[in-house]
Amino acid sequence: MSGMKSLAKDTAIYGLSSIVGRFLNWCFVFLYINVLKTTAEYGIVTNLYAYMALLLIILTYGLETGFFRFANDEKYEDPTKVYTTGLISLACTSSLFFILILIFLQPISRWLGYPEHTDYIWMMALIIAIDAFTALPFAYLRYQKRPIRFATVKLLSIFINIFFNLFFILLCPWLYQHYPATVSWFFEPTFMVGYILVSNIISSGIILVILLPEIFGVRYRFDTKIWKQMLSYSFPLLILGVAGIMNQTFDKMLYPILAANRPDPMSELGIYGAVYKISIVMLMFTQAFRFAYEPFIFAKNKEKNTGDNKQAYADAMKYFIIFGLLIFLGVMFYIDLVQFFMPAQYYVGIDVVPIVMMGQLFFGIFFNLSLWYKLTDKTQWGAWFSLFGFIITIIINVVFVPQYGYMACAWAAFVCYLCMMLASYFIGQHNYPINYDLKSIALYTALAGILYLINNTVTIDNLILRLLFRTILLATFIICFMHRDLPLKEIPIINRWIKR
């Protein structure tokens, strides 16, 4: 359990920044959809940030995982050489990307569908360039086992972004209406989508400055041999990342085209983008786990104790699924509370949430399974799995979106991640067999399914009584988990009261 305790502690700390940040950003979705005049405007935000997610993956080209792989390699006595090699590479590619965007700004803006808003495009490019470069300093903090510094900087980034969002989206419109002279010299009321990007630029720029100790506090050396090996190792991960992010963003990027025959595709995209954010709770958990899990598996692999390592990987998988199911039930049992914050025109898309959340859980499991090809240096398998999923995503979206709209997008994500998860499991068991506790996983999955079915079957009109009933259902899952797999003596503070 010592390895699991360490992993759980790091996951909790990394999760603080990830979960708090994503939760606050999730809250901002409700601010945006209540402040922006139309659902179509939020559709623009959804569309732009989908492109940003894809481009960020491309511009980091798998170097985070590549850094962990080679920094933990016994052949390289000085991990900082690996770090600075990767950092120089990212600095060059990020700068080149931004310069090319500025050179071809007009045609790119027309191609993306924003010919009148070239400012959206260059601001988007600047955010991506900065965030891609700072990805490796954040990875370096994880490598150094400095989760407190990592979480502090991440949280500061979030709070800066929040401050300027509140300033531009709430305070400035109020001042413009009541005291126009104070803000009219810089504030334009019709530029609300742009101010979301401006806030992001300010936040990313300040964080770049804060990370200067990690950027300049090391002796720079560029090793061509290491660089080539990192690229060779990371390139399949780039393909994996691109295909993976396309699985998440393909529908949001191309929905206006795929749904062109529908009455108002951009408004539908705004609705889908807003309700999709509800499922981000599962993504928060997966990302928090990922931040702790990658350094954990490579450090474990370095110990060369294969039997114990595989047991630790199996335990991590079981607990990940248990907590993932718990999060799914928690969101679905209390989803009625969302209606108090979401305008009625958005609430019509709420049926996609359970579908998308289960898809996100499958993706989290797929990430857990990915350790076999990362540890065996067969990262090309990750690329193949992601391409396989991407093909499924394309087919379902292209065939069914014109008729079924964003519901087809949700089911595409569900089917895509389910197929990727199953493919990785069966092929992984052949190449790097791990004795996962399938019995326990099946038991908890069945229990969660039964509780969810009971929730959907029993109709209670009174909201308070309905939430109380669902709380009892959720408590049932928690009690079963604690009785079977979480001894009270392993829980801090509580264990002081348990007789040993």
Side-chain angles (χ1 to χ4, degrees), residues 1-14 145 147 292 296 300:
M1 290 291 292
S2 60
M4 289 303 100
K5 286 181 180 178
S6 175
L7 179 60
K9 183 189 75 172
D10 286 351
T11 299
I13 297 174
Y14 289 125
K145 300 287 186 180
F296 172 79
K300 272 286 183 185

Side-chain angles (χ1 to χ4, degrees), residues 4 7-8 10-12 14-15 18 142 283-296 313 315-317 319-320 364 367-368:
M4 289 303 100
L7 179 60
D10 286 351
T11 299
Y14 289 125
S18 179
R142 291 160 58 198
L283 195 59
M284 294 180 205
F285 171 60
T286 300
Q287 183 160 353
F289 188 84
R290 172 178 173 266
F291 283 146
Y293 194 54
E294 277 191 337
F296 172 79
Y313 303 149
D315 289 342
M317 172 67 83
Y319 287 110
F320 175 85
F367 172 79
N368 275 263

Side-chain angles (χ1 to χ4, degrees), residues 50-51 53-55 57-58 239-254 386-387 389-391 393-394 397 416-417:
Y51 280 110
L54 171 63
L55 291 169
I57 292 292
I58 294 174
I239 304 300
L240 183 157
V242 169
I245 202 67
M246 285 295 285
N247 289 333
Q248 298 179 36
T249 60
F250 175 82
D251 50 359
K252 302 172 191 67
M253 288 190 293
L254 297 183
S386 292
L387 287 172
F390 183 43
I391 291 170
T393 299
I394 292 176
N397 275 281
C416 161
Y417 294 135

